[in-house]
Amino acid sequence: MDKNIIIKKAKKVLENNWMGHFTKPSPKLYPHQWSWDSGFIAIGYSHFDLKKAMTELNSLFKGQWKNGMLPHIVFHKPSNDYFPDAKDWEIDLSDEAPGDIQTSGITQPPIHATAVWNIYNNAEDKKDVLQFISNLFTKLLSSHRFLYNFRDVEDKGLVANIHPWETGIDNSPKWDMILKNIAIENINIPPFKRKDINFVSSEERPSDDAYLKFIYLIELFKQCKYDQKKICKESPFLVYDVLFNSILHKANLDLLKIAALLKEDTKEIEGWIERGKKAFEEILWCDKDSMYHSYDQAQHKTIRVHTASCALPIYASIPDKERVFNLKEQLLTTCPFHQENVCVSIPTYDKTQEGYDPANYWRGPIWVNTNWMIYKGLLSYGFEDLAGKIGLNTIRLISELGFWEYFSPTEKRGLGSNNFSWTASLLIDILYKEADYYENWFSGEVSKSI
Ligand code: DGY
């Protein structure tokens, strides 16, 4: 495979999903603008089209709520292909909704300060992007403030999610028990028809029962008129997720650099970082399993389910180097995430655990964004060997199988939607930034069975 050809193909995927001022995550399955997708997509653009990278984020922030919440979907244009549609969210029940644009009523992992910092770093002429960064800074700050003002429910420095869609990892086995225990009562759920399974086999998507609970939660939030305090009291789903909080912590570190660059006051951000780090240790670190676990805040218990996010604090520079060493060894041995003979990939769920399903969304498949976060984290701690193998495997999967949304950890098979935007943009990031590591592979010197 020629490096330039694969980069060209990746750019084509993004070009085909470009909607004029934002990028849809995939051609059919996700026809609107998704929040964390856009962050990852902007990181890819930052290497070759700064204007698009900035437009992508500016379009997303058009949907920001008055209370600072960055919604997980912005509905810029009508589409018949997706449920729940803009009208199903009824966001005008809340005075905090933006008013002039349709959005969903929940948030998603806050990767955006990290995307902005990448844009700054990758810009050859910094002057070109400084104005954009200074315009976006207060919006970024208020999106983080929203999380601490309304979701740091115990005032401990961790942020709670109220819906599996907020965590980005919708049907992770981490949420099984909570969803199973949700009793549908006192709320009328209007009949609905899923549209996702028009485009992707239902074997690869969340179950109907999970969907029913997803929609139940939305109806509950509508009943609360999107009042965050009320929702946090009433929602049966209230979790401190390791992945969400790791992305937030990393974004705080990047927001701090942006604030320093703009000579803005940094105290508030420093406070979030300090308290967050302590809370990771006190609440999310599990001594028994020697890994990080999400926490069910509604039931006050640790969710001891081994998923790829158990190691994600590596991405946010949370653990010390010795702990990273142990987490990395666990990824390779105790938790058999390691796929022998296929380099190293990080499937989303441990294949020895109950509920593992190699074809179903977040219940086993390999995702490029989780691989990318662990890869970047390992590089930052100097574990280049393992990072290189994860990066190489990501490149190989995509070059051999295509730009899939996720990949089977057991067969050579792409899953979900093809031509998926963040698969393309994160591959571009790896190939622009760390291309030297992979020169040998591209030139055919490394055996295909590393
Ligand atoms: C979906 O529709 O699958 C999304 O993940 C929800 O945001």
Side-chain angles (χ1 to χ4, degrees):
M1 173 60 72
D2 181 320
K3 187 177 83 188
N4 295 321
I5 293 181
I6 181 91
I7 290 181
K8 211 164 151 196
K9 284 188 179 169
K11 289 182 180 172
K12 191 80 196 146
V13 169
L14 292 175
E15 195 181 313
N16 289 342
N17 288 337
W18 176 247
M19 299 292 283
H21 58 108
F22 72 94
T23 314
K24 55 185 175 179
S26 70
K28 285 260 175 216
L29 184 63
Y30 307 110
H32 304 289
Q33 186 173 30
W34 262 259
S35 173
W36 75 325
D37 292 75
S38 274
F40 289 123
I41 290 165
I43 290 173
Y45 283 142
S46 71
H47 292 286
F48 67 97
D49 193 335
L50 281 174
K51 200 158 165 252
K52 269 193 182 167
M54 294 187 281
T55 306
E56 182 75 37
L57 293 178
N58 282 334
S59 294
L60 181 72
F61 274 86
K62 286 214 169 93
Q64 185 166 36
W65 285 37
K66 294 175 199 131
N67 58 12
M69 185 180 78
L70 199 55
H72 99 297
I73 302 176
V74 181
F75 299 96
H76 294 285
K77 299 183 183 183
S79 164
N80 284 328
D81 287 343
Y82 185 75
F83 171 83
D85 195 14
K87 65 175 175 356
D88 300 308
W89 288 92
E90 293 184 66
I91 57 166
D92 45 5
L93 289 165
S94 167
D95 292 340
E96 301 295 336
D100 52 352
I101 192 162
Q102 295 296 321
T103 76
S104 68
I106 56 175
T107 192
Q108 234 183 3
I111 181 96
H112 315 91
T114 299
V116 170
W117 188 243
N118 272 265
I119 291 176
Y120 178 72
N121 275 326
N122 294 336
E124 266 167 32
D125 187 347
K126 308 291 182 208
K127 278 199 300 301
D128 283 353
V129 295
L130 268 177
Q131 189 58 47
F132 156 79
I133 295 180
S134 110
N135 290 346
L136 206 65
F137 175 71
T138 36
K139 297 178 187 176
L140 278 171
L141 190 65
S142 83
S143 68
H144 286 216
R145 259 188 205 143
F146 163 82
L147 296 171
Y148 289 103
N149 287 346
F150 295 106
R151 300 299 187 75
D152 185 1
V153 287
E154 292 176 303
D155 202 17
K156 288 204 167 146
L158 285 180
V159 159
N161 293 128
I162 54 173
H163 194 293
W165 284 346
E166 283 205 342
T167 68
I169 42 180
D170 314 357
N171 73 340
S172 169
K174 290 196 276 191
W175 318 137
D176 284 359
M177 207 38 104
I178 307 178
L179 293 182
K180 186 165 164 242
N181 289 335
I182 292 180
I184 307 240
E185 53 194 22
N186 303 328
I187 283 196
N188 174 34
I189 304 181
F192 65 88
K193 197 163 170 350
R194 292 176 61 173
K195 295 193 176 170
D196 56 324
I197 45 184
N198 294 345
F199 306 111
V200 170
S201 151
S202 57
E203 329 274 82
E204 296 166 27
R205 293 287 302 170
S207 67
D208 280 346
D209 191 52
Y211 251 82
L212 183 66
K213 306 290 168 69
F214 295 162
I215 303 307
Y216 168 81
L217 288 169
I218 294 172
E219 292 303 321
L220 176 68
F221 305 158
K222 283 178 2 191
Q223 203 174 71
C224 295
K225 298 194 167 34
Y226 294 106
D227 175 327
Q228 298 293 322
K229 295 240 154 79
K230 212 160 172 222
I231 291 176
C232 289
K233 266 202 207 112
E234 293 191 14
S235 178
F237 190 94
L238 193 70
V239 301
Y240 297 138
D241 180 39
V242 173
L243 178 144
F244 189 101
N245 279 282
S246 296
I247 290 179
L248 174 60
H249 194 83
K250 168 83 173 97
N252 278 332
L253 296 172
D254 292 328
L255 192 60
L256 184 67
K257 293 183 210 147
I258 297 170
L261 174 76
L262 299 175
K263 303 202 177 9
E264 295 281 351
D265 190 4
T266 53
K267 269 207 199 66
E268 186 179 12
I269 308 168
E270 279 160 353
W272 294 334
I273 292 171
E274 203 180 302
R275 289 169 63 244
K277 199 157 181 184
K278 210 159 149 246
F280 261 86
E281 188 63 30
E282 287 173 6
I283 302 174
L284 302 183
W285 173 251
C286 173
D287 251 342
K288 281 195 201 104
D289 296 341
S290 294
M291 59 177 71
Y292 294 90
H293 284 310
S294 298
Y295 185 82
D296 178 349
Q297 218 286 322
Q299 297 298 323
H300 298 286
K301 60 174 191 234
T302 296
I303 305 171
R304 288 179 65 193
V305 177
H306 296 194
T307 66
S309 30
C310 296
L312 261 186
I314 295 176
Y315 165 73
S317 309
I318 296 271
D320 61 24
K321 196 159 178 180
E322 193 185 327
R323 190 176 280 178
V324 176
F325 183 84
N326 293 332
L327 281 166
K328 150 180 114 58
E329 292 304 296
Q330 282 212 77
L331 275 179
L332 292 176
T333 52
T334 343
C335 287
F337 289 117
H338 179 201
Q339 302 302 306
E340 298 88 338
N341 306 324
V342 205
C343 306
V344 177
S345 56
I346 315 286
T348 40
Y349 189 37
D350 180 340
K351 67 180 170 193
T352 63
Q353 305 285 308
E354 198 186 325
Y356 166 78
D357 180 343
N360 192 310
Y361 212 39
W362 295 98
R363 304 181 72 83
I366 299 159
W367 284 75
V368 169
N369 68 337
T370 39
N371 263 8
W372 179 85
M373 286 187 276
I374 291 177
Y375 162 80
K376 289 284 171 182
L378 288 171
L379 279 183
S380 73
Y381 283 90
F383 291 114
E384 293 183 2
D385 183 45
L386 179 57
K389 285 182 179 156
I390 295 173
L392 183 54
N393 197 35
T394 307
I395 299 169
R396 286 179 54 181
L397 278 174
I398 301 170
S399 0
E400 287 171 21
L401 301 175
F403 292 86
W404 289 92
E405 187 180 1
Y406 37 103
F407 297 87
S408 165
T410 46
E411 300 169 71
K412 286 200 158 193
R413 197 172 145 215
L415 298 160
S417 173
N418 199 351
N419 299 311
F420 193 67
S421 295
W422 84 36
T423 300
S425 62
L426 296 178
L427 179 76
I428 288 173
D429 180 67
I430 294 174
L431 290 181
Y432 269 77
K433 256 204 168 134
E434 288 105 20
D436 294 355
Y437 285 128
Y438 309 110
E439 275 314 325
N440 286 346
W441 184 69
F442 280 112
S443 62
E445 281 171 35
V446 180
S447 122
K448 289 240 166 187
S449 59
I450 286 176

